[in-house]
Amino acid sequence: MFHPVFRARRIRGKEIFRRMVRETSVSVNDLVYPMFSAFGSGIRKEVSSMPGIYQQSIEHIVAEAKEVQELGIPAVILFGIPETKDAVGSDAYSEKGIIQETIRAIKANVKDLAVITDVCMCEYTDHGHCGIIRDGDVDNDATIDLLAREALSHVRAGADMVAPSDMMDGRVGAIREILDKNSFSHIPIMSYAVKYASGYYGPFREAAESTPQFGDRRSYQMDPANRLEAIREAQADIDEGADIIMVKPGLPYLDIVRELRNHFKQPLAVYNVSGEYSMIKAAAANGWIDEERVIMETMLGFKRAGADIIITYHAKEVARWLMK
Ligand code: PBG
Ligand code: ZN
């Protein structure tokens, strides 16, 4: 009979040994919870494709932000559904905009919770694109001026960190410059550095009411087939002053997370996007998977791939399971 020298099962055989050699862990400190703030009052409307996730008016956002803080989650990332949209996304950089009001309300009522804002135009433009349209396409340089104004107005309202998600070239530099000029050199930028044109954003566009009214986002978001381009995108954002770089979506792009982890020393975030959440929720609702087990395994996968920060709609349930 053959006797293997290497017997992995010696260590694997006892939970106490498995604990001792475990290489990766998930902590509540790794999590960021996305929230959708809607104009109005008394609104708390579940997103049909994202069970457990709501479009809510400010008083409900504040209540949930408190719950998030009490669970020990360090940060939320905010998306806005404004009262009105127009061609230039005016609400995005208005002092009285939906996000500006939401930031002030959270900051006034919830202590020890970092407020990160998504900086983009698509939630505020009537055409649903992430910038200003000229000749049927998004005009890069006109858009970055507005993104910089949007970021500044978020920070003036009290945002602790800004996260540009538009994928225009040069926007990190433009935002860094305007923040620095206005005495906000201490505010970090988490850049959606590597953001693919993905079908996995479908449920988010229902939640944020930001579906493009013509065409798609392929002229500014990345081609899913590209890996080397991800390194160039991340390098460009780091050179322009990004403090944290992000890969998005998460699960279909874990190779990219690992690639960036190996290349760069910056903190690395992954966005476990809406479609990833919806797929797990749908399978769980059908009894096809063990929900807690699959979600925790998914979180571990992000950490093992090299992510430091996980932006996820599962954040609250993960925080509760981690406390058990
Ligand atoms: C805005 C933005 C999107 C997401 C985050 N910021 C949507 C998009 O680019 O269409 C997607 C998040 C998700 O799917 O959970 N640009
Ligand atoms: Zn956008």
Side-chain angles (χ1 to χ4, degrees):
M1 203 183 289
F2 181 70
H3 290 281
V5 173
F6 171 62
R7 289 186 184 270
R9 297 184 57 191
R10 276 188 208 114
I11 293 290
R12 213 176 281 155
K14 283 187 172 56
E15 169 57 15
I16 197 88
F17 291 160
R18 292 196 293 271
R19 260 172 62 198
M20 290 167 71
V21 302
R22 192 156 290 149
E23 298 173 37
T24 311
S25 63
V26 178
S27 152
V28 70
N29 298 321
D30 306 329
L31 306 173
V32 175
Y33 184 62
M35 301 181 84
F36 299 96
S37 182
F39 180 85
S41 63
I43 299 167
R44 184 166 156 81
K45 185 174 160 224
E46 193 168 34
V47 179
S48 63
S49 53
M50 301 178 73
I53 301 297
Y54 298 81
Q55 295 182 335
Q56 357 182 40
S57 47
I58 289 179
E59 76 279 20
H60 291 294
I61 290 276
V62 168
E64 195 181 16
K66 269 192 195 130
E67 185 193 347
V68 169
Q69 190 277 329
E70 280 160 12
L71 285 166
I73 296 165
V76 293
I77 183 164
L78 300 180
F79 299 92
I81 303 147
E83 182 181 21
T84 52
K85 306 188 184 212
D86 60 27
V88 292
S90 305
D91 198 89
Y93 38 90
S94 155
E95 203 205 317
K96 294 251 169 295
I98 179 65
I99 285 299
Q100 290 77 358
E101 300 284 14
T102 307
I103 298 163
R104 281 190 283 267
I106 296 176
K107 281 286 143 190
N109 293 289
V110 189
K111 297 280 157 276
D112 300 321
L113 180 72
V115 174
I116 306 172
T117 58
D118 183 84
V119 175
C120 201
M121 288 283 136
C122 53
E123 298 133 68
Y124 310 97
T125 51
D126 50 15
H127 46 72
H129 276 286
C130 300
I132 301 307
I133 302 294
R134 199 167 59 189
D135 302 330
D137 195 9
V138 175
D139 180 337
N140 193 89
D141 298 7
T143 298
I144 60 179
D145 285 345
L146 295 184
L147 292 165
R149 280 174 64 187
E150 179 182 7
L152 178 61
S153 81
H154 291 173
V155 171
R156 282 195 171 134
D160 298 293
M161 188 187 298
V162 290
S165 70
D166 51 282
M167 291 302 278
M168 297 305 121
D169 295 313
R171 90 276 206 215
V172 172
I175 291 171
R176 187 70 273 158
E177 185 180 273
I178 202 170
L179 293 183
D180 290 356
K181 270 195 195 134
N182 287 276
S183 320
F184 293 118
S185 57
H186 58 290
I187 298 290
I189 300 173
M190 173 165 69
S191 159
Y192 288 71
V194 178
K195 179 176 177 183
Y196 288 93
S198 172
Y200 284 88
Y201 307 149
F204 172 95
R205 292 181 188 168
E206 180 200 339
E209 301 179 9
S210 64
T211 306
Q213 298 304 301
F214 63 89
D216 55 39
R217 303 209 201 291
R218 282 176 236 249
S219 80
Y220 42 102
Q221 298 181 348
M222 282 177 58
D223 184 334
N226 294 354
R227 180 175 59 87
L228 297 176
E229 189 186 359
I231 302 170
R232 294 201 298 277
E233 279 281 3
Q235 185 67 63
D237 285 9
I238 290 166
D239 292 346
E240 290 175 30
D243 301 281
I244 300 172
I245 52 176
M246 190 201 300
V247 174
K248 174 182 175 209
L251 282 179
Y253 298 91
L254 288 183
D255 59 325
I256 307 298
V257 174
R258 170 49 57 189
E259 189 81 32
L260 294 201
R261 175 73 299 152
N262 291 348
H263 261 83
F264 301 105
K265 305 299 174 208
Q266 276 71 14
L268 182 59
V270 65
Y271 201 137
N272 176 213
V273 302
S274 56
E276 301 170 43
Y277 176 85
S278 300
M279 290 194 303
I280 287 183
K281 287 294 172 188
N286 278 292
W288 293 338
I289 54 170
D290 175 337
E291 183 175 24
E292 175 179 345
R293 188 169 173 187
V294 168
I295 292 170
M296 294 310 273
E297 188 176 333
T298 302
M299 298 300 127
L300 199 60
F302 292 133
K303 290 299 296 290
R304 197 185 59 249
D308 303 301
I309 296 170
I310 307 168
I311 301 166
T312 179
Y313 303 96
H314 296 293
K316 291 198 308 178
E317 51 198 357
V318 168
R320 284 194 203 98
W321 289 326
L322 287 170
M323 281 189 281
K324 285 201 297 199

